[in-house]
């Protein structure tokens, strides 16, 4: 907001001239249009007025909202220029806005925030008009509106619409102040009086100027001159002109207009320019002919009626002419050097004028204004070649329209224009060749020369004044070239000067009257010509309706073959007296609501008004149907409404997540795992303790062999009930740990026994984890040692438990200890890195000072090692034996061959006996932490299966999840847990079910939504954040195992977290994606066990809302929402479809709809296009295909499953399937390009030679034996299996071809009453069985890859991206580039690997080219070894580092310094 007054403000008031202060004073009191010369300081007056209004607002504002000033400009380049000026000359908060910033789609919240923050808003008039139309702002919220280049307020310009519609509707007392700025208030050929009066009426302002003498010495007005030349060029046309005439033949028609243009150029500019124009024409014609030939080759319909022989002759002629041009000696240099003999008198006059500035070369800056872009193009080339103008650095600036047929009519984007202007301002160029686009706003104070190349008779007064104003230098010239032989030109120039004088006189005369403005807007609208939304006051009128309609159509879903724009048909209306006027009809795209597809407007006497009336009625109808919100903006998910609970919550989440107002949630949060209910201590059972005996059975590594080991121990739990008997497996790589749990009933412990067991439990895990396990903890379970009594019954070993309570005892304090059998004892050495050691033997004959080779540093004895390496400063007792030992192994999460532990030599003086037997700290005992972690998750899975979530009313019918405990345990285990099984496969399966379930719900509950709305809503429902929010409401995060077991952080579960402890107090980090994946995995587990109904119950339990459990209920809900139309007129088509699909439709109109493309506007009033059915079918197809792959044996790993699924449901493959079923051939549409694309793709599939080339004479279509034999193709299973996925090597299939199969699948799903098994029958019969042999080699290669897979990509198999291939290997030397052919517009994709080209392909689009090049590239890349280093921080690098560090610290010979010990064990 506005800051305090500064010295800068004072400086502004001091530099303002008297006439500026006078106009400023007038502007403070009334609405004013300041008419001043360019450079006279109109913008400074506006800044003074802006500051004045800001001060008034600040003084009067108490609790009122901020009212900024709005500065409007007619063109984008002026936005940044004026913003910079205001910012540099005030201390106000200035912001800018234009279309490329995406402001067209901003919400009311975003605009309201801008209104609050900004003091000045600089924008194009169209942006402000849109804000007003949508009622994001009203005129009463603005204190001042400035119209830069105010003379544009004419006819239907945005300036006029702002004033006539929105300013006029604002109460007079609330209207903002108006200030207009222009150098010329006149318009076209109108008189000055009428032009000024009209402008004043439109802007509700009075126009003022200042006397010329007031500007004397203040404004650098250019000296006006007329430079005469004598007539046109009499030189003959260039030789190229006669050559073209002589050899053109049939190509003459193509170049006829260009030859005429060349003659005109020859007369006006001279033969040199004419020759350049012809050269451009020939090059352009060659490119166009190549482009047409390319499209004819690739589009069958374009070849109809074309004489290819004639076209070939024309192309050859043009090609020879092009070769002649390009092989000329001067072609590369831009043509020969021009001379006075080869240019016209007019051009010679221009060149002579420019040559006169050679002496001022260092400071020269000029602009040449021309009328046509083609003139600018050839003059640009001429000036660069003219020998006497080598001091000029020339550039062009022209408009961004598409131009006409002339190849010289180039265009420039707004960005290109901006770069040229900036280069000119900074002196990179000193001469501009410009069209009218540069007449306004180009403020270059060093510009000393402006030349109007075209005569005065083509200029309006506005052009004249605006272009003259570009000359800002103190000694500038404004030159008009005029033909001395054409008196009309001289008269026109003088007439402009006189007209300017009349305009000034008129302004002074009006100033003397000093009347107030009379608001008389140029656009007059009746009440029936404006539609206002009562709730928001948003409006549309006849003048804005067409643009609003185009904006709506732009957001409808479309493909490359859907125009998507409204189609206007204007018909004349006749009466008894003859012609009466026009009525227009609009046809909207097929995916617009049926009620709005055909709209007729009102009668009008003009065509344009008839179209406006039709658009006006269409906008009103779209709003009534809910397609436009109450701000008349195309509806988006955040603007949707509905009574359905699922949709309400999705809309709420969308508003919270991304509409500008909500705070973005953290992607990762931390959670503690729940304590399973069976482990929670019951308050009423404070003394309860249950004993269960656990057996761990599996193999252990012993050097090069494996032994089966069984470990038995007890678990004490303290819940209301004991653990249930259970048996399960814990996989470790290729090994399995078999677990059995046998409950023994109540343990009957005393309080003292509980304390002793707790002490043992803590001591055990301190040793096992080497971490700070608390001495006293409220444990959820406790491990107890067992012993076998005389009857072979296992009981608690209280002797071992008591030993733990005694704590560690010094070895030297235990007489005869070293003489006992020490295999089951563990020692702790407080000097030797404070580690635990297993005893091998006592070296009774060796003392610390005895000669013994110790350590890599070759210490002579153990004492020297302790003193030298371990920095031991205590005196070492000489008379004591040395103990030979090994470090205690670490806990293991995966079975892997461990490196042999090196020998350590210990001094008993520094050792204590650890109070836990060695048998409980090695072998399977090292698996205790991972066993407890897995048991924890397993018990939580049992809770999840049957629990009712807090805050949710769960019906008894779906309270219990259908999934097995094993699958739920898998679903709750994240990949980050580093377990051998995790949720990834189940998540893939569950995701496909959730997608079809949510798709079905949306399809049924929202029958009027088009595919774009449905997709947007489904995307919101599927968002990780949306699933995460639902999961948070039921506390699902507490069930998830989301991190790997880390011995330094993990501790056995406690009943409640204790402040300052590790474990539960150190919460697990879970990302949105992990939690969302678990939701989908749980759903997948339920589908595995309970089918679709089991999955639907899981959705209902976890996501809540109005989802149905039985899909048949959705069929009943949808019964009354569709009007059945019998498609008897397409009986033959239906017969073909039903025969090929193997399905008979109850409602044949569904099959018709599935074959109706959105371009089929001839059916707009009869039915719908296939997009809704495609939306439904895509989800149904994805589910049944994923289920099929999920159930394959041997099982596919998650990566393999995803890769194969993406291939089976990809458009490239589905297009092949659809073509075999004749679906694309039967599709109804109205687009010749789509017809050609489908025919071209079908020709590739039907071409036997192409198949042989691609597949070694195999059967690529998977046709029946009968059809294949007729085609002469092999039909053996071996041949079919070896053919590979050939479709990936074809050109990109039209999306519509694959869409027809998905739409037909959706039609079957709907027609069958949403019977997913009926969909599977169709998919199995039409997609799986006929085509599966193509996928067999791929599936077999997966089996060979093993669990992890080798990532290889075989010929014709999955075309994975080279980016993912490189990322997986850490390769940084893969590059993808594209080059587009100017003639054919085709793209060539090139992939390089370590500087070598490994794949290249040509296609009609980038995507297709990349896909084809990728297949070739991956084959080549697999043949080479990448020598890029492993990326720092990658998993591979971190694993290597971790293993290295663990190996370094494993034994006596470690090189680790003594100052880096492990955590202390007390």
């Amino acid at each position: 907001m506005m800051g305090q007054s500064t010295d800068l403000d004072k400086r502004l008031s001091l530099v303002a001239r008297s006439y500026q202060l006078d106009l400023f004073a007038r502007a403070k009191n009334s609405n004013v249009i300041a008419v001043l010369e360019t450079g006279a300081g109109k913008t400074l007056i506006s800044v003074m007025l802006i500051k004045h209004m800001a001060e008034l607002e600040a003084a009067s504002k108490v609790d009122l909202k901020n009212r900024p000033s709005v500065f409007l400009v007619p063109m984008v380049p002026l936005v940044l220029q004026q913003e910079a000026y205001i910012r540099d000359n005030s201390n106000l908060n200035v912001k800018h806005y234009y279309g490329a910033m995406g402001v067209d789609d901003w919400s009311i919240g975003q605009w309201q925030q801008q209104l609050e923050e900004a003091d000045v808003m600089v924008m194009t008039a169209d942006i402000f008009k849109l804000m007003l139309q949508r009622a994001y702002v009203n005129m009463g919220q603005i204190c001042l509106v400035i119209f830069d280049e105010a003379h544009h307020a004419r006819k239907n310009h945005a300036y006029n619409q702002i004033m006539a519609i929105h300013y006029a509707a604002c109460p007079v007392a609330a209207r903002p102040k108006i200030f207009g700025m222009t150098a010329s208030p006149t318009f076209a050929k109108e008189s000055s009086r009428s032009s000024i009066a009209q402008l004043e009426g439109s802007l509700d302002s009075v126009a003022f100027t200042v006397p010329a003498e007031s500007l004397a010495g203040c404004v650098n007005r250019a000296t006006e001159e007329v430079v005469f030349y004598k007539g046109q060029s009499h030189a003959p046309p260039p030789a190229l002109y006669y050559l073209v005439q002589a050899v053109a033949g049939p190509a003459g028609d193509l170049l006829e207009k260009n030859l005429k243009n060349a003659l005109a150029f020859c007369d006006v500019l001279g033969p040199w320019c004419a020759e350049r124009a012809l050269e451009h024409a020939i090059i352009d014609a060659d490119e166009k002919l190549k482009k047409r030939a390319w499209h004819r080759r690739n589009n069958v319909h374009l070849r109809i009626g074309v004489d290819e022989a004639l076209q070939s002759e024309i192309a050859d002629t043009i090609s020879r002419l092009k070769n002649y041009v390009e092989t000329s000696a001067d072609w590369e240099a831009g043509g020969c050097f021009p001379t006075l003999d080869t240019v016209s008198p007019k051009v010679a006059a221009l060149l002579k004028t420019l040559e006169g500035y050679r002496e001022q070369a260092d400071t020269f800056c000029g602009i040449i204004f021309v009328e046509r872009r083609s003139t600018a193009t050839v003059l640009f080339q001429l000036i660069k070649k003219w020998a006497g103008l080598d001091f000029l650095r020339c550039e062009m600036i022209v408009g961004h329209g598409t131009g006409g047929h002339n190849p010289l009519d180039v265009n420039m984007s707004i960005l290109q224009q901006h770069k040229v202007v900036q280069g000119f301002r900074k002196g990179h160029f000193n001469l501009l060749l410009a069209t009218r686009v540069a007449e306004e706003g180009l403020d270059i104070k060093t510009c000393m020369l402006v030349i109007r190349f075209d005569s005065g008779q083509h200029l309006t007064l506005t052009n004249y004044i605006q272009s003259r104003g570009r000359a800002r230098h103190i000694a500038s010239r404004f030159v008009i070239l005029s033909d001395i032989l054409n008196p009309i030109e001289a008269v026109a120039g003088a007439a402009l000067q006189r007209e300017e004088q009349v305009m000034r006189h008129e302004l002074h005369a009006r100033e003397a009257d000093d009347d107030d403005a009379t608001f008389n807007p140029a656009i007059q609208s009746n009440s029936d010509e404006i539609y206002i939304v009562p709730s928001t006051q948003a409006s549309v009128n006849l003048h804005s309706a067409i643009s609003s309609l185009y904006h709506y159509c732009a957001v409808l879903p479309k493909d490359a073959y859907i125009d998507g724009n409204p189609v206007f048909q204007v018909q004349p209306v006749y009466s008894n007296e003859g012609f009466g006027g026009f009525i227009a009809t609009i046809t909207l795209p097929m995916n617009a609501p049926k009620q709005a597809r055909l709209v007729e407007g009102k009668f009008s006497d003009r065509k344009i008004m008839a179209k406006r009336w039709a658009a006006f009625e269409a906008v009103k109808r779209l709003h009534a149907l809910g397609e436009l919100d109450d701000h008349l903006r195309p509806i988006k998910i955040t603007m949707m409404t509905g009574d359905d609970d699922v949709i309400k919550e999705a809309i709420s989440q969308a508003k919270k997540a991304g509409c500008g107002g909500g705070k973005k949630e953290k992607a990762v949060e931390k959670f503690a795992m729940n304590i399973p209910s069976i482990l929670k201590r019951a308050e009423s059972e404070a003394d309860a303790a249950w004993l269960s005996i656990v057996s761990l059975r599996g193999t252990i590594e012993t050097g090069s062999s494996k032994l089966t080991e069984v470990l038995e121990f007890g678990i004490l739990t303290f819940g209301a009930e004991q653990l249930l008997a259970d048996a399960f497996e814990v996989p470790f790589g290729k090994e399995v740990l078999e677990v059995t749990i046998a409950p023994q009933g109540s343990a009957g412990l005393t309080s003292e026994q509980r304390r002793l067991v707790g002490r043992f439990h803590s001591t055990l895990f301190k040793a096992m984890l080497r971490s700070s396990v608390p001495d006293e903890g409220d444990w959820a379970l406790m491990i107890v040692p067992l012993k076998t009594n005389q009857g072979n019954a296992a009981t608690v070993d209280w002797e071992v438990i008591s030993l733990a309570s005694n704590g560690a005892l010094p070895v030297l304090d235990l007489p005869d200890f070293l003489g006992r059998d020490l295999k089951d004892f563990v020692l702790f050495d407080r000097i030797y890195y404070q580690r635990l050691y297993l005893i091998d033997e006592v070296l009774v004959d060796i003392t610390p000072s005895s000669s013994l080779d110790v350590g890599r540093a070759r210490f002579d004895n153990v004492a020297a090692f302790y003193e030298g390496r371990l920095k031991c400063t205590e005196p070492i007792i000489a008379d004591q034996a040395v103990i030979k030992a090994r470090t205690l192994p670490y806990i293991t999460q995966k079975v892997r061959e461990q490196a042999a532990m090196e020998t350590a030599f210990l001094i008993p003086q520094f050792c204590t006996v650890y109070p836990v037997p060695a048998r409980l700290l090695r072998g399977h005992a090292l698996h205790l932490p991972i066993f407890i972690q897995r048991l924890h998750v397993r018990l939580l899975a049992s809770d999840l299966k049957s629990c009712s979530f807090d805050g949710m009313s769960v019906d008894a019918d779906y309270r219990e999840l259908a999934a097995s405990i094993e699958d739920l345990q898998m679903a709750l285990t994240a990949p980050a847990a580093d377990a051998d099984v995790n949720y990834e496969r189940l998540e893939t399966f569950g995701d496909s079910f959730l997608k079809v379930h949510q798709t079905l719900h949306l399809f049924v509950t929202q029958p009027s939504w088009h595919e774009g709305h449905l997709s947007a809503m489904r995307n919101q429902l599927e968002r990780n954040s949306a699933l995460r929010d639902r999961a948070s409401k039921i506390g699902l995060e507490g069930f998830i195992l989301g991190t790997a077991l880390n011995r330094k952080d993990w501790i056995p579960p406690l009943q409640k977290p204790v402040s300052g402890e590790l474990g539960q107090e150190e919460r697990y980090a879970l990302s949105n994606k992990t939690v969302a994946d678990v939701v989908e995995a749980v759903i997948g587990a339920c589908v595995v066990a309970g089918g679709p109904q089991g999955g639907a119950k899981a959705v209902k339990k976890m996501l809540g809302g109005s989802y149905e459990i039985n899909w048949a209920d959705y069929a009943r809900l949808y019964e009354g929402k569709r009007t059945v139309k019998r498609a008897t007129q397409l009986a033959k088509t239906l017969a073909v479809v039903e025969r090929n699909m193997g399905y008979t439709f109850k409602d044949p109109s569904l099959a018709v709809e599935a074959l109706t493309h959105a371009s089929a506007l001839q059916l707009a009033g009869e039915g719908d296009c296939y997009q809704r059915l495609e939306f439904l079918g895509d989800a149904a197809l994805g589910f049944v295909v994923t289920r099929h792959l999920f159930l394959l044996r041997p099982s596919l790993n998650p990566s393999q499953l995803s890769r194969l699924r993406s291939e089976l449901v990809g458009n490239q493959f589905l297009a092949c399937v659809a073509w075999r079923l004749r679906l694309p051939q039967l599709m109804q549409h109205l687009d010749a390009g789509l017809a050609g694309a489908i025919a071209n793709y079908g020709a590739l599939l039907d071409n036997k030679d192409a198949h042989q080339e691609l597949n070694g004479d195999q059967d690529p279509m998977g046709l029946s034996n009968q059809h294949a034999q007729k085609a002469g193709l092999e039909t053996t299973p071996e041949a079919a299996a070896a053919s590979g996925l050939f479709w990936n090597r074809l050109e990109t299939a039209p999306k519509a071809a694959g869409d027809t199969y998905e739409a037909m699948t959706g039609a079957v799903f709907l027609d069958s009453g949403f019977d997913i098994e009926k969909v599977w029958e169709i998919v199995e019969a039409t997609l799986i069985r006929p085509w599966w042999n193509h996928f067999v080699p791929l599936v077999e290669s997966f089996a060979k890859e093993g669990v992890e897979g080798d990532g290889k990509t075989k010929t014709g198999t999955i075309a994975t991206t080279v980016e993912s291939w490189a990322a997986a290997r850490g390769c940084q030397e893969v590059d993808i580039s594209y080059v587009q052919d100017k003639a054919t517009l085709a793209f060539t994709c090139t992939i390089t690997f370590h500087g070598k080209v490994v794949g290249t392909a040509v296609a009609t689009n980038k995507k297709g080219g990349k896909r084809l090049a990728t297949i070739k590239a991956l084959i080549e890349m697999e043949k080479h070894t990448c020598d890029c280093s492993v990326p720092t921080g990658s998993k591979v690098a971190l694993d290597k580092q971790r293993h290295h560090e663990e190996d370094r610290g494993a034994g006596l010979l470690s090189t680790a310094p003594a100052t880096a010990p492990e955590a202390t064990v007390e």
Side-chain angles (χ1 to χ4, degrees), residues 864-876:
F865 176 80
Y866 268 68
E867 294 169 345
R869 171 62 64 82
L870 303 180
K871 309 302 181 184
C872 177
T873 58
E874 297 181 37
I876 297 176

PDB file of all heavy atoms in Angstrom, residues 864-876:
ATOM      1  N   ALA A 864      50.118 -52.580  23.873  1.00  0.00           N
ATOM      2  CA  ALA A 864      50.521 -51.504  22.959  1.00  0.00           C
ATOM      3  C   ALA A 864      49.350 -51.068  22.068  1.00  0.00           C
ATOM      4  O   ALA A 864      49.192 -49.885  21.765  1.00  0.00           O
ATOM      5  CB  ALA A 864      51.695 -51.969  22.099  1.00  0.00           C
ATOM      6  N   PHE A 865      48.527 -52.033  21.681  1.00  0.00           N
ATOM      7  CA  PHE A 865      47.363 -51.704  20.859  1.00  0.00           C
ATOM      8  C   PHE A 865      46.383 -50.833  21.643  1.00  0.00           C
ATOM      9  O   PHE A 865      45.873 -49.838  21.130  1.00  0.00           O
ATOM     10  CB  PHE A 865      46.677 -52.992  20.394  1.00  0.00           C
ATOM     11  CG  PHE A 865      45.414 -52.768  19.615  1.00  0.00           C
ATOM     12  CD1 PHE A 865      45.447 -52.417  18.265  1.00  0.00           C
ATOM     13  CD2 PHE A 865      44.175 -52.885  20.220  1.00  0.00           C
ATOM     14  CE1 PHE A 865      44.287 -52.200  17.557  1.00  0.00           C
ATOM     15  CE2 PHE A 865      43.007 -52.671  19.522  1.00  0.00           C
ATOM     16  CZ  PHE A 865      43.065 -52.335  18.176  1.00  0.00           C
ATOM     17  N   TYR A 866      46.118 -51.217  22.906  1.00  0.00           N
ATOM     18  CA  TYR A 866      45.194 -50.438  23.737  1.00  0.00           C
ATOM     19  C   TYR A 866      45.727 -49.022  23.953  1.00  0.00           C
ATOM     20  O   TYR A 866      44.988 -48.047  23.918  1.00  0.00           O
ATOM     21  CB  TYR A 866      44.985 -51.128  25.089  1.00  0.00           C
ATOM     22  CG  TYR A 866      43.788 -52.072  25.104  1.00  0.00           C
ATOM     23  CD1 TYR A 866      43.791 -53.245  24.357  1.00  0.00           C
ATOM     24  CD2 TYR A 866      42.669 -51.771  25.871  1.00  0.00           C
ATOM     25  CE1 TYR A 866      42.728 -54.106  24.382  1.00  0.00           C
ATOM     26  CE2 TYR A 866      41.576 -52.630  25.898  1.00  0.00           C
ATOM     27  CZ  TYR A 866      41.601 -53.803  25.141  1.00  0.00           C
ATOM     28  OH  TYR A 866      40.524 -54.650  25.168  1.00  0.00           O
ATOM     29  N   GLU A 867      47.029 -48.915  24.175  1.00  0.00           N
ATOM     30  CA  GLU A 867      47.599 -47.600  24.458  1.00  0.00           C
ATOM     31  C   GLU A 867      47.784 -46.771  23.185  1.00  0.00           C
ATOM     32  O   GLU A 867      47.541 -45.551  23.171  1.00  0.00           O
ATOM     33  CB  GLU A 867      48.944 -47.764  25.167  1.00  0.00           C
ATOM     34  CG  GLU A 867      48.816 -48.370  26.560  1.00  0.00           C
ATOM     35  CD  GLU A 867      50.145 -48.778  27.148  1.00  0.00           C
ATOM     36  OE1 GLU A 867      51.135 -48.861  26.369  1.00  0.00           O
ATOM     37  OE2 GLU A 867      50.207 -49.030  28.361  1.00  0.00           O
ATOM     38  N   GLY A 868      48.199 -47.427  22.105  1.00  0.00           N
ATOM     39  CA  GLY A 868      48.493 -46.692  20.877  1.00  0.00           C
ATOM     40  C   GLY A 868      47.260 -46.401  20.037  1.00  0.00           C
ATOM     41  O   GLY A 868      47.019 -45.256  19.639  1.00  0.00           O
ATOM     42  N   ARG A 869      46.448 -47.408  19.768  1.00  0.00           N
ATOM     43  CA  ARG A 869      45.283 -47.227  18.914  1.00  0.00           C
ATOM     44  C   ARG A 869      44.078 -46.733  19.698  1.00  0.00           C
ATOM     45  O   ARG A 869      43.379 -45.811  19.278  1.00  0.00           O
ATOM     46  CB  ARG A 869      44.940 -48.541  18.206  1.00  0.00           C
ATOM     47  CG  ARG A 869      43.611 -48.530  17.461  1.00  0.00           C
ATOM     48  CD  ARG A 869      43.576 -47.492  16.333  1.00  0.00           C
ATOM     49  NE  ARG A 869      44.542 -47.793  15.316  1.00  0.00           N
ATOM     50  CZ  ARG A 869      44.367 -48.675  14.324  1.00  0.00           C
ATOM     51  NH1 ARG A 869      43.225 -49.313  14.239  1.00  0.00           N
ATOM     52  NH2 ARG A 869      45.305 -48.903  13.434  1.00  0.00           N
ATOM     53  N   LEU A 870      43.819 -47.357  20.875  1.00  0.00           N
ATOM     54  CA  LEU A 870      42.614 -47.052  21.646  1.00  0.00           C
ATOM     55  C   LEU A 870      42.813 -45.914  22.636  1.00  0.00           C
ATOM     56  O   LEU A 870      41.871 -45.521  23.318  1.00  0.00           O
ATOM     57  CB  LEU A 870      42.122 -48.307  22.374  1.00  0.00           C
ATOM     58  CG  LEU A 870      41.832 -49.516  21.472  1.00  0.00           C
ATOM     59  CD1 LEU A 870      41.343 -50.689  22.298  1.00  0.00           C
ATOM     60  CD2 LEU A 870      40.808 -49.168  20.398  1.00  0.00           C
ATOM     61  N   LYS A 871      44.053 -45.392  22.724  1.00  0.00           N
ATOM     62  CA  LYS A 871      44.363 -44.249  23.586  1.00  0.00           C
ATOM     63  C   LYS A 871      44.010 -44.510  25.055  1.00  0.00           C
ATOM     64  O   LYS A 871      43.503 -43.635  25.755  1.00  0.00           O
ATOM     65  CB  LYS A 871      43.621 -42.993  23.094  1.00  0.00           C
ATOM     66  CG  LYS A 871      43.797 -42.684  21.635  1.00  0.00           C
ATOM     67  CD  LYS A 871      45.274 -42.495  21.259  1.00  0.00           C
ATOM     68  CE  LYS A 871      45.442 -42.155  19.780  1.00  0.00           C
ATOM     69  NZ  LYS A 871      46.868 -42.070  19.384  1.00  0.00           N
ATOM     70  N   CYS A 872      44.262 -45.704  25.494  1.00  0.00           N
ATOM     71  CA  CYS A 872      43.994 -46.068  26.889  1.00  0.00           C
ATOM     72  C   CYS A 872      45.066 -45.441  27.783  1.00  0.00           C
ATOM     73  O   CYS A 872      46.267 -45.633  27.570  1.00  0.00           O
ATOM     74  CB  CYS A 872      43.986 -47.592  27.057  1.00  0.00           C
ATOM     75  SG  CYS A 872      43.743 -48.118  28.753  1.00  0.00           S
ATOM     76  N   THR A 873      44.638 -44.701  28.813  1.00  0.00           N
ATOM     77  CA  THR A 873      45.581 -44.027  29.709  1.00  0.00           C
ATOM     78  C   THR A 873      45.656 -44.696  31.076  1.00  0.00           C
ATOM     79  O   THR A 873      46.493 -44.315  31.912  1.00  0.00           O
ATOM     80  CB  THR A 873      45.174 -42.558  29.876  1.00  0.00           C
ATOM     81  OG1 THR A 873      43.843 -42.495  30.390  1.00  0.00           O
ATOM     82  CG2 THR A 873      45.224 -41.819  28.540  1.00  0.00           C
ATOM     83  N   GLU A 874      44.797 -45.657  31.325  1.00  0.00           N
ATOM     84  CA  GLU A 874      44.827 -46.355  32.617  1.00  0.00           C
ATOM     85  C   GLU A 874      46.003 -47.336  32.638  1.00  0.00           C
ATOM     86  O   GLU A 874      46.349 -47.927  31.609  1.00  0.00           O
ATOM     87  CB  GLU A 874      43.520 -47.123  32.840  1.00  0.00           C
ATOM     88  CG  GLU A 874      42.290 -46.244  32.916  1.00  0.00           C
ATOM     89  CD  GLU A 874      41.028 -47.069  33.165  1.00  0.00           C
ATOM     90  OE1 GLU A 874      41.131 -48.062  33.920  1.00  0.00           O
ATOM     91  OE2 GLU A 874      39.965 -46.722  32.586  1.00  0.00           O
ATOM     92  N   PRO A 875      46.577 -47.524  33.836  1.00  0.00           N
ATOM     93  CA  PRO A 875      47.639 -48.548  33.950  1.00  0.00           C
ATOM     94  C   PRO A 875      47.069 -49.925  33.651  1.00  0.00           C
ATOM     95  O   PRO A 875      45.979 -50.274  34.106  1.00  0.00           O
ATOM     96  CB  PRO A 875      48.095 -48.433  35.403  1.00  0.00           C
ATOM     97  CG  PRO A 875      47.634 -47.081  35.849  1.00  0.00           C
ATOM     98  CD  PRO A 875      46.380 -46.787  35.099  1.00  0.00           C
ATOM     99  N   ILE A 876      47.790 -50.711  32.883  1.00  0.00           N
ATOM    100  CA  ILE A 876      47.323 -52.041  32.501  1.00  0.00           C
ATOM    101  C   ILE A 876      47.994 -53.078  33.400  1.00  0.00           C
ATOM    102  O   ILE A 876      49.230 -53.127  33.524  1.00  0.00           O
ATOM    103  CB  ILE A 876      47.633 -52.328  31.021  1.00  0.00           C
ATOM    104  CG1 ILE A 876      46.869 -51.326  30.129  1.00  0.00           C
ATOM    105  CG2 ILE A 876      47.257 -53.760  30.647  1.00  0.00           C
ATOM    106  CD1 ILE A 876      47.180 -51.461  28.663  1.00  0.00           C
TER     107      ILE A 876
END
